[in-house]
Amino acid sequence: MEQTMRDQMQHETRHQTNATRSDKSMRDPVCGMKVSAKSLTVDGYPDVAFCSEHCRSAFVADPGQYVGHGNSDEDEEEDEEEDDLAGHRHRSGGRETVHLAIEGMTCASCVATIERALASTPGVVDARVNFATEEATVDVDTVSVDVLTAVVADAGYSARPVTEADDPDAETEARERLYRTLLRKFWFAAIIALPVMYFSYPELFPGIPAKGSTALNLIWGAMALVTIPVLLWAGSQFFTGAWSALKHRSANMYTLIATGISAAWLYSTAALLFPGLFPEERLRDVFFDVTAVVTALVVLGMALEIRARAKTSEALKKLIGMQAKTARVLRAGVEADIPIEDVVVGDTIVVRPGEKIPVDGQVLGGASVVDESMVNGEPIPVEKTQGDPVIGATINKTGSFRFEATRVGKDTMLSHIIQMVRDAQGSKAPIQRTVDK
């Protein structure tokens, strides 16, 4: 009797455990993928589930290696944080590749500085920085993202992990704002540079008072005043960038420009206020025009560079824009639209005519034709029936069907394509590495 009651209690416990498991998602302790609690399991380990037979076999071969890496309470509390960072790193051949967005780079010297800082970090196998896309690609063994961002910060720049949640439109808008600001600075400096250039060369242009005359000295004094806002506003980024580099005991392009335009203005002001420093009047020249012209041209170059960078990353933004934002999931017999980030392996998803397929999966029921041109380049839609695979971000044409999600998040084909594009943009040819040294 006692044995019968014990068996009944164990049966109820298992039933309650299974009911609890079915209401939540879990993590595969082998690969870390977020999976449905209804996925593959192992007897004796009710708190773990697996995305595939391969991961389950690896767990069965050595459970001790993975116990504690699955679905503990601490892991569940960190799920949301980890999901926010999903996409910034992926594993290949025993190594992880981390992608960081870098801010504050101004020239190739900045690229070399960041690469040296990252490459010298213990646990980093290789580091590549792409100046055009402002991204760093870091191959690591056992280094956290926080350590990498701290290393970049110590070098005088800022970094953050590239995530799938990044909004390409927000980044584009930020670049557009910076582009418009730089154009305003350019026009301001250019308008001041024109008269300043004219009055800086009395020997070349007619109608200018002779050197040494009171009239020319007054004009030069006015030039000194009007070029001050050029230095302080149009050229403000040069001084802030130079100061930031100085604090980290390094130099960059801004250091050179800030030093040059400051020296030109200070020398010219000294020549204006202390003419006795020069043995002859004809040797006394001012270079306020250098301050205005150099500032205007460099700011224009920065604006054009920002526009070129936007075009460089356009292909990647289009790929990211192909991803569906929501999915219609069938749970407990009820259809519900949920964010694409909440879809887990094993979910049943309903797709209607004209909709994007949210994730990769396998058709369970229904029939349709799907436009897969974004993957295979073929303009003719492909027929899909029960048992056929479907690819996320492709477009359902005519029919409606249900399919089971088999790959979600960073494991979908589109995410792999985006990852390969990022890796290609961040790679360097061997000859380029030689030149950088």
Side-chain angles (χ1 to χ4, degrees), residues 161-390:
V162 176
T163 68
E164 292 182 346
D166 288 348
D167 186 359
D169 294 333
E171 182 181 350
T172 301
E173 180 59 29
R175 285 186 173 179
E176 281 296 322
R177 286 197 301 268
L178 180 57
Y179 174 76
R180 291 192 294 268
T181 299
L182 290 175
L183 277 187
R184 286 195 295 269
K185 290 185 175 184
F186 161 71
W187 286 115
F188 176 77
I191 290 172
I192 291 180
L194 290 177
V196 169
M197 285 183 62
Y198 177 77
F199 288 106
S200 293
Y201 301 97
E203 303 92 344
L204 299 179
F205 301 109
I208 302 177
K211 275 189 175 182
S213 63
T214 303
L216 184 60
N217 287 335
L218 291 176
I219 293 174
W220 282 358
M223 289 163 51
L225 295 177
V226 298
T227 51
I228 290 177
V230 174
L231 285 172
L232 299 183
W233 182 63
S236 59
Q237 62 277 349
F238 304 143
F239 295 98
T240 56
W243 174 246
S244 177
L246 182 62
K247 288 190 297 184
H248 293 85
R249 299 179 182 179
S250 63
N252 54 24
M253 182 185 72
Y254 287 164
T255 306
L256 175 63
I257 298 171
T259 302
I261 60 179
S262 300
W265 192 89
L266 292 173
Y267 174 88
S268 302
T269 302
L272 176 65
L273 298 178
F274 308 103
L277 296 175
F278 300 88
E280 298 181 27
E281 181 62 31
R282 64 183 181 85
L283 299 177
R284 187 170 70 104
D285 288 311
V286 294
F287 301 98
F288 295 115
D289 60 313
V290 172
T291 299
V293 172
V294 169
T295 300
L297 293 180
V298 175
V299 168
L300 176 61
M302 292 172 60
L304 296 178
E305 181 182 64
I306 288 175
R307 179 57 58 90
R309 286 183 184 178
K311 292 182 179 179
T312 300
S313 57
E314 195 66 30
L316 190 58
K317 292 177 183 176
K318 288 181 179 179
L319 283 173
I320 296 175
M322 289 182 178
Q323 294 175 317
K325 301 296 185 291
T326 60
R328 185 175 294 105
V329 178
L330 183 63
R331 291 178 177 173
V334 179
E335 292 184 10
D337 290 336
I338 64 173
I340 192 69
E341 295 83 7
D342 294 340
V343 178
V344 297
V345 173
D347 274 341
T348 298
I349 301 173
V350 179
V351 182
R352 294 173 181 171
E355 294 181 341
K356 276 186 179 179
I357 297 174
V359 296
D360 298 355
Q362 189 172 26
V363 177
L364 296 176
S368 181
V369 291
V370 177
D371 180 3
E372 295 184 343
S373 57
M374 59 85 63
V375 176
N376 56 26
E378 295 293 337
I380 301 176
V382 181
E383 293 185 2
K384 298 293 181 181
T385 58
Q386 184 175 356
D388 290 337
V390 290

